[in-house]
Amino acid sequence: MNVTRGRQHQVVVALFWSLAQNWGGRALSFVLFLVLARLLDPADFGLAALVAFILLLLSSIAEFGFGDALIQRRTLEPADVTLPFFCSFAASVLLAVLIALLATHIEQWFDVKGLAPLLTAASLSLPIGTATLFQEALYKRQMDFRVLAVRTMVATAISGVVGIACAYAGFGALSLVIQVVVQSAISGLWLWSQPRWLPMRGYDLKSFRELSGYSIHVMLNRLLDFAIVRTIDMIILSLYGVAALGIYTVGARVYIILMQLLTQAVMDVALSALSKIAHERDRIAGAYLRSVSLGALIGSPVFVLLAAIAPEFSLLLFGAKWGGSEAVMRPLMLIGAVQTVQFVNSAYFGALGKPNYVFLLNILKFCTVVPAMFLLPSRDIGQLATIFAFSQLVVTPVTFALALRLLGLSWSQFSAPHCGMPLRHRSGLRRGRAVPGGDAGHESLFADWTAGVLFWRDLFDGHSAVLAEAAPFPD
């Protein structure tokens, strides 16, 4: 009993620091982004978005999905990390050198003036970021999110100050690139100064093959997801120019930040913890229903509200020079109301050892979203963003159908009201509404309020208890 409570306490602490890392870091990053949006022009953000497009693609290739594979693996020895690390790091160094050498040719190919020096400077972050990702994965595996949270806040603050100073000095788009490089360098130094693993000569070839079997699905899924999400960037660049790409980047920023705030903290803990109880289907199915309830009750209303006030919200945040960003924000917020519930499926697919499900779903999404953006007519970036957002809904019912089948749940269980609420509180709620007499309305109101409070308490406690049983502890 004490062991279970101790594990539950560790998971609660891990969730707290994971939230601190994601919410604190993202919130601070967003504030810095707002300041930079007032200092820089749409063309500057468009250039930086194109640099990010190229580097994110290369980073996904270099890392090869080994980070998730290390977190998901049930048992892990130091020798298991050696080959994945050196393969990924060597690939990142090679890609960084190629980017620096071919920067001028890439600028000519995209026909975007000023891209080459930005690419050369940003290439420094590729090997640094890849090496850091391995330490970060091992911290997450041990559910040690405190160091990650402090690292994120310090690196974001310092790099943000540097970026703003460069923007004031007239560096333009280079300010955003310098900000990314500084943040990557501080993050790397912070984690490697207190490492969870150090390079060694010993390696395990069998383990490498097993990890590669999992990681290749992760990498292919990320590349597909990248193609789905980032194809719109290339369409905007080719049709409307680099300034329009900057407006789209700013308009989509609130959606991206909210999705990260509402999903990433839970995902970081869930993949590590749920993988340990993947064989206990009843318990993991119960956790799934609670996760869906959490997304529907907290995340969806926030997205719908922001979609309704998108014009005023965009003007307040970014200013008049970013006109047009509200047309991007509205459809993305509406689709976010669905995705904040849907995102949990990926965590459970990964925990149950089915990353190929995510890959197949992304193939379906790619075959739906990309042709829709090319074939359906659009007159501006707002209409293109609407096509991009709502074409993704085709995959939604398929995603939930696969998750329910894998977990042995029915649609009636999934769609039942308050599906995550413990039975005793639902029955208590019904009893409150059945109280006869003149005070029935007050009794009903009190029962609703009480059941709501107890639901949220049990929702958090239930997640903590389930994750606690699965929490990985170092030997």
Side-chain angles (χ1 to χ4, degrees):
M1 185 68 176
N2 291 334
V3 174
T4 299
R5 288 187 177 276
R7 290 185 175 184
Q8 181 170 347
H9 174 72
Q10 182 175 11
V11 173
V12 171
V13 172
L15 283 169
F16 171 79
W17 284 111
S18 182
L19 287 170
Q21 175 195 358
N22 286 280
W23 288 31
R26 303 297 181 190
L28 178 58
S29 177
F30 186 61
V31 171
L32 296 169
F33 180 86
L34 293 179
V35 176
L36 289 167
R38 300 279 180 169
L39 297 174
L40 301 175
D41 296 326
D44 295 326
F45 273 90
L47 272 170
L50 185 53
V51 172
F53 172 91
I54 296 170
L55 287 184
L56 284 173
L57 175 61
L58 297 180
S59 177
S60 297
I61 296 172
E63 194 262 346
F64 203 73
F66 281 125
D68 281 3
L70 293 173
I71 295 172
Q72 189 269 348
R73 191 173 176 85
R74 182 168 295 229
T75 59
L76 189 71
E77 300 295 331
D80 297 337
V81 186
T82 303
L83 283 178
F85 172 79
F86 282 112
C87 287
S88 293
F89 186 71
S92 66
V93 171
L94 177 61
L95 290 172
V97 172
L98 287 176
I99 283 293
L101 293 175
L102 300 176
T104 303
H105 299 285
I106 296 172
E107 177 182 307
Q108 294 172 352
W109 189 75
F110 279 107
D111 193 22
V112 176
K113 187 177 180 181
L115 179 62
L118 299 181
L119 275 177
T120 303
S123 65
L124 296 172
S125 66
L126 191 56
I128 298 173
T130 300
T132 304
L133 280 172
F134 278 81
Q135 290 294 345
E136 187 171 335
L138 295 174
Y139 269 95
K140 290 178 180 178
R141 177 179 172 82
Q142 296 180 10
M143 302 186 76
D144 186 358
F145 290 92
R146 184 184 63 82
V147 174
L148 297 179
V150 176
R151 177 278 314 252
T152 298
M153 296 295 291
V154 172
T156 301
I158 295 176
S159 63
V161 170
V162 172
I164 291 172
C166 292
Y168 267 116
F171 282 49
L174 184 59
S175 307
L176 298 170
V177 174
I178 292 173
Q179 180 186 10
V180 171
V181 173
V182 170
Q183 183 172 6
S184 180
I186 294 174
S187 295
L189 288 172
W190 193 284
L191 294 186
W192 278 94
S193 66
Q194 24 189 345
R196 289 295 180 267
W197 172 87
L198 287 172
M200 54 188 297
R201 291 185 177 182
Y203 63 90
D204 189 329
L205 190 58
K206 179 182 178 182
S207 172
F208 178 71
R209 288 195 294 264
E210 293 172 351
L211 288 168
S212 299
Y214 183 94
S215 67
I216 192 169
H217 290 290
V218 175
M219 185 193 70
L220 291 175
N221 170 61
R222 286 179 181 172
L223 292 177
L224 262 179
D225 191 59
F226 182 90
I228 295 165
V229 174
R230 293 290 179 167
T231 296
I232 188 173
D233 292 13
M234 294 299 98
I235 296 176
I236 291 173
L237 181 65
S238 61
L239 293 180
Y240 307 113
V242 68
L245 179 59
I247 291 174
Y248 173 81
T249 301
V250 169
R253 184 70 174 189
V254 178
Y255 158 79
I256 293 171
I257 288 290
L258 278 176
M259 286 299 297
Q260 291 172 337
L261 291 180
L262 293 173
T263 64
Q264 193 61 48
V266 177
M267 290 281 283
D268 284 345
V269 179
L271 180 59
S272 177
L274 292 175
S275 297
K276 307 300 180 181
I277 57 165
H279 57 288
E280 300 182 53
R281 295 303 172 92
D282 289 342
R283 300 180 63 198
I284 205 169
Y288 175 79
L289 292 177
R290 290 170 182 265
S291 301
V292 169
S293 293
L294 184 63
L297 291 170
I298 293 182
S300 297
V302 173
F303 281 101
V304 172
L305 173 63
L306 290 178
I309 63 170
E312 297 81 6
F313 194 60
S314 177
L315 181 62
L316 175 67
L317 289 179
F318 306 121
K321 70 178 177 180
W322 295 99
S325 61
E326 72 282 354
V328 173
M329 188 183 300
R330 181 182 287 113
L332 292 179
M333 288 298 176
L334 289 175
I335 195 67
V338 178
Q339 290 175 333
T340 193
V341 180
Q342 184 179 327
F343 88 94
V344 299
N345 294 329
S346 297
Y348 284 84
F349 290 152
L352 293 168
K354 298 291 184 181
N356 55 310
Y357 279 26
V358 183
F359 178 61
L360 293 173
L361 286 167
N362 272 336
I363 290 178
L364 177 60
K365 188 188 294 186
F366 179 85
C367 294
T368 303
V369 174
V370 174
M373 288 191 292
F374 278 107
L375 298 177
L376 296 179
S378 59
R379 294 192 300 270
D380 53 43
I381 59 173
Q383 291 186 359
L384 185 60
T386 302
I387 294 170
F388 166 71
F390 288 98
S391 59
Q392 298 181 54
L393 289 175
V394 174
V395 184
T396 299
V398 181
T399 302
F400 283 114
L402 283 175
L404 295 178
R405 181 178 179 182
L406 188 62
L407 293 166
L409 296 169
S410 66
W411 281 103
S412 60
Q413 290 173 295
F414 173 77
S415 59
H418 311 293
C419 63
M421 184 181 292
L423 182 60
R424 64 181 184 275
H425 299 320
R426 284 182 289 187
S427 60
L429 179 60
R430 288 195 295 269
R431 286 195 302 270
R433 288 175 176 163
V435 172
D439 292 332
H442 295 290
E443 292 287 345
S444 176
L445 179 63
F446 178 75
D448 283 348
W449 181 86
T450 304
V453 172
L454 292 173
F455 167 59
W456 286 112
R457 185 200 69 184
D458 280 6
L459 186 65
F460 183 74
D461 289 346
H463 272 300
S464 300
V466 170
L467 293 176
E469 290 296 322
F473 291 88
D475 296 331

